[in-house]
Amino acid sequence: MSAEHKGPDADILIVGGGLSGTMLAVQLLRLPGQRRIVIVESRSELGRGEAYSATELGHTLNGNAARMSVDPDDVDDLTRWLTDYIAAGGWPESDQQQVPVAELFPPRGIFGLYVQQRLAEARLIGERCGSTVEHVRGEVTDLQTNAAGLRLTLASGEHLTGRFGVLATGMFAAARTPQRDSNALNAAAVDPWDVNAMGQLDPQGRVLIIGSGLTMVDAVVSLEQAGHRGPIDVFSRHGLLPHVRRQPPTWPDFLAADLNIRSTRQLVRALREQCARAAEQGIDWQAPLDTVRVHIPRLWSQASDLQRRQFVRHVRPWWESHHHRSPPPSAHLLDRLIDEGRLNIHAASLLSVGSAEAGQISISVRYRGQDKATTESGAALINSTGIQYDWRRVDRALPRNLLARGLIQPGPLALGIAADAGGAVMDAEGRVSTRLYAMGPPLRGLWWESTAVTDVALQAKALAARLAAVSNVPS
Ligand SMILES: Cc1cc2nc3c(=O)[nH]c(=O)nc-3n(C[C@H](O)[C@H](O)[C@H](O)COP(=O)(O)OP(=O)(O)OC[C@H]3O[C@@H](n4cnc5c(N)ncnc54)[C@H](O)[C@@H]3O)c2cc1C
């Protein structure tokens, strides 16, 4: 590609075309100015990434349509799009939920179509200023920077050059990511999102699942859909299930009213008080909790590493299960399976994974409160341990090479990578790059919550404005 242009191949090279990379392109295309944007994405389609490539209708968003707009200036954007989509005959199963469109939990695959349509519209806006976006299909394996910009190396051996680069590489789902230290679990486990693999399992066989978060919920939905009717045993350190998402009323923003609340202890105490007050009025605890969300980036970035560690150790399991909630249809399925005695949730740590013999796989776990290990065996094992945020443990070419070149350094608590508040990445010496930026899940350590649709939508808008400003200056 380099040979076709006199200058760099792109003004802005985006690595990763999931929700983050695509929404960044959408925001850039909407801004005045002429720029060439290239997205390098290994998947065949932009706008889907891991989350929105889902083909299972039961794999829905975990928030209702009114909460999942990709336009930070228009909260009703998804609701309107979905209304038109359903009116045109899309998603006929939506009438089973029997609620207004704003309260529907759409399948994630359909959400991917919405993102793609917003990209198609933004392309038309961009064309008027001469801005373009191109999808180069491939995996970026290496990246180098120089005074003029950066140069990507693709697995095919091709190179691409650009004036500015953005790492929108998303999440490294533990089940799909080779780990540098241990791969035993993945080697033995079924992929939690492999719908076809679920259909191959013995329908009456016992399934063991490691991890009890939203990935587990997806796996249980797929097992049920594939006709599995045997027992399912879920093991996680705390044995906490995600709560079901309800539609609580609005609640006063108590953190905005008291900026002295900063430490984890102060936050937990204040939140408990607010929840007790809500309970006295017969109001759902989700109402006060939902007001905390917008303050998390500020609280996390102001906190010391010690305070962040305390949060991760003491509050994280509770935060994950209360804040990252299950869509109601999935939660109801889990409730039913628990009532039927088919689904059991255990508080137990995984110690080791044994080898599979005669169609049975065994694991060694330690139940909470016990000293000795217990062996459990089943017909299949599923890894639902969530996301690997520590890039040093991810055995993929790009993270490995970026770290080896000293172009990035781990973020706070080794979560993702370090960057300034506007997403410019920090090298191994702590210098802030003028060429390389990051957004979305790689900034987990900077903001804590940096993965959900609303986080990504806000970051895309802010980063587009920053990139437009720097890329308008000739270099
Ligand atoms: C299963 C699942 C369900 C989710 N459900 C919800 C939900 O209901 N609500 C919500 O708010 N959030 C949800 N999330 C969070 C979700 O990740 C974000 O909303 C969003 O998808 C993040 O987008 P992303 O583009 O940053 O990451 P990703 O979706 O992970 O996309 C990153 C893309 O980068 C590409 N890529 C990575 N490295 C390279 C490379 N070296 N070269 C080329 N391409 C590369 C990958 O192929 C991938 O397509 C979910 C996440 C997952 C994993």
Side-chain angles (χ1 to χ4, degrees):
M1 187 165 174
S2 319
E4 292 169 19
H5 300 279
K6 290 216 169 62
D9 296 317
D11 294 303
I12 297 160
L13 279 174
I14 303 175
V15 184
L19 180 68
S20 295
T22 304
M23 285 317 300
L24 177 62
V26 167
Q27 294 288 355
L28 283 165
L29 288 165
R30 286 177 181 171
L31 292 175
Q34 186 180 353
R35 49 190 75 85
R36 279 170 300 149
I37 304 159
V38 170
I39 304 180
V40 190
E41 165 59 56
S42 40
R43 292 170 201 264
S44 59
E45 293 179 45
L46 296 179
R48 292 195 177 274
E50 187 72 70
Y52 311 112
S53 296
T55 52
E56 182 87 74
L57 278 184
H59 288 174
T60 68
L61 288 179
N62 67 350
N64 54 300
R67 292 169 182 266
M68 293 287 156
S69 164
V70 293
D71 188 340
D73 301 317
D74 183 0
V75 290
D76 297 324
D77 190 55
L78 173 59
T79 305
R80 267 197 317 275
W81 179 86
L82 200 55
T83 305
D84 293 347
Y85 182 73
I86 293 169
W91 193 25
E93 299 81 0
S94 60
D95 58 9
Q96 288 166 11
Q97 292 188 34
Q98 294 189 331
V99 290
V101 175
E103 290 174 29
L104 287 170
F105 288 72
R108 297 201 299 267
I110 290 178
F111 183 84
L113 293 177
Y114 156 63
V115 176
Q116 290 178 338
Q117 188 166 335
R118 291 296 176 255
L119 176 64
E121 290 158 1
R123 276 183 202 269
L124 297 177
I125 297 171
E127 267 173 24
R128 287 183 217 136
C129 305
S131 284
T132 56
V133 61
E134 184 186 346
H135 174 191
V136 171
R137 195 161 175 206
E139 185 197 345
V140 176
T141 53
D142 201 1
L143 184 158
Q144 287 161 279
T145 53
N146 55 43
L150 62 152
R151 181 176 189 257
L152 304 183
T153 304
L154 275 61
S156 61
E158 281 174 282
H159 297 284
L160 288 171
T161 56
R163 292 172 59 211
F164 300 92
V166 179
L167 298 171
T169 47
M171 320 243 226
F172 295 109
R176 291 188 158 174
T177 306
Q179 313 279 314
R180 286 181 104 162
D181 37 13
S182 158
N183 286 306
L185 181 53
N186 277 351
V190 175
D191 184 321
W193 295 296
D194 187 342
V195 176
N196 294 329
M198 302 286 174
Q200 309 296 313
L201 302 180
D202 172 0
Q204 297 303 329
R206 182 188 186 205
V207 174
L208 313 175
I209 303 185
I210 311 300
S212 63
L214 292 170
T215 305
M216 177 278 293
V217 175
D218 274 357
V220 171
V221 167
S222 292
L223 282 169
E224 179 72 9
Q225 190 62 29
H228 179 264
R229 297 295 178 264
I232 303 170
D233 286 274
V234 174
F235 302 88
S236 78
R237 236 170 261 152
H238 298 271
L240 293 172
L241 277 182
H243 284 265
V244 60
R245 182 172 294 287
R246 292 184 290 267
Q247 312 283 352
T250 51
W251 183 260
D253 187 348
F254 64 98
L255 287 174
D258 186 357
L259 293 176
N260 291 321
I261 298 173
R262 290 175 150 228
S263 72
T264 301
R265 191 171 294 175
Q266 288 169 327
L267 173 64
V268 171
R269 193 183 307 135
L271 189 54
R272 284 215 171 106
E273 281 169 16
Q274 296 289 322
C275 289
R277 213 171 285 173
E280 280 165 20
Q281 298 170 35
I283 291 175
D284 198 322
W285 56 262
Q286 295 189 1
L289 187 63
D290 285 353
T291 67
V292 174
R293 182 67 176 78
V294 293
H295 297 279
I296 292 296
R298 171 179 65 81
L299 292 167
W300 180 262
S301 55
Q302 282 173 352
S304 64
D305 268 2
L306 178 65
Q307 288 172 322
R308 290 174 183 150
R309 257 186 222 106
Q310 284 171 340
F311 175 86
V312 171
R313 179 175 299 167
H314 303 297
V315 184
R316 179 186 185 164
W318 183 89
W319 174 256
E320 298 292 342
S321 67
H322 284 70
H323 175 68
H324 295 284
R325 294 178 208 143
S326 243
S330 313
H332 295 151
L333 170 67
L334 265 70
D335 286 346
R336 176 167 68 76
L337 298 184
I338 290 171
D339 285 349
E340 289 172 4
R342 269 183 51 211
L343 175 64
N344 293 292
I345 315 294
H346 309 277
S349 307
L350 178 71
L351 300 176
S352 62
V353 179
S355 54
E357 275 171 38
Q360 288 284 301
I361 177 121
S362 62
I363 56 172
S364 172
V365 296
R366 186 167 44 235
Y367 284 93
R368 205 176 164 91
Q370 289 190 7
D371 293 332
K372 61 176 180 40
T374 304
T375 301
E376 298 286 355
S377 47
L381 176 66
I382 296 177
N383 177 6
S384 297
T385 53
I387 309 302
Q388 176 54 268
Y389 281 107
D390 186 345
W391 282 39
R392 297 167 309 179
R393 300 179 68 186
V394 170
D395 195 10
R396 289 256 177 89
L398 184 62
R400 210 173 37 230
N401 286 328
L402 285 167
L403 284 163
R405 288 188 184 282
L407 286 174
I408 57 171
Q409 60 162 290
L413 270 50
L415 296 167
I417 60 176
D420 75 4
V425 309
M426 223 175 259
D427 72 10
E429 308 294 323
R431 287 179 300 243
V432 172
S433 178
T434 55
R435 295 286 167 186
L436 187 59
Y437 298 79
M439 65 170 293
L443 301 185
R444 167 78 156 175
L446 186 64
W447 302 122
W448 181 252
E449 291 296 343
S450 189
T451 60
V453 170
T454 42
D455 303 318
V456 166
L458 279 168
Q459 286 183 26
K461 189 172 180 214
L463 183 56
R466 186 173 185 183
L467 286 169
V470 289
S471 64
N472 282 344
V473 180
S475 58

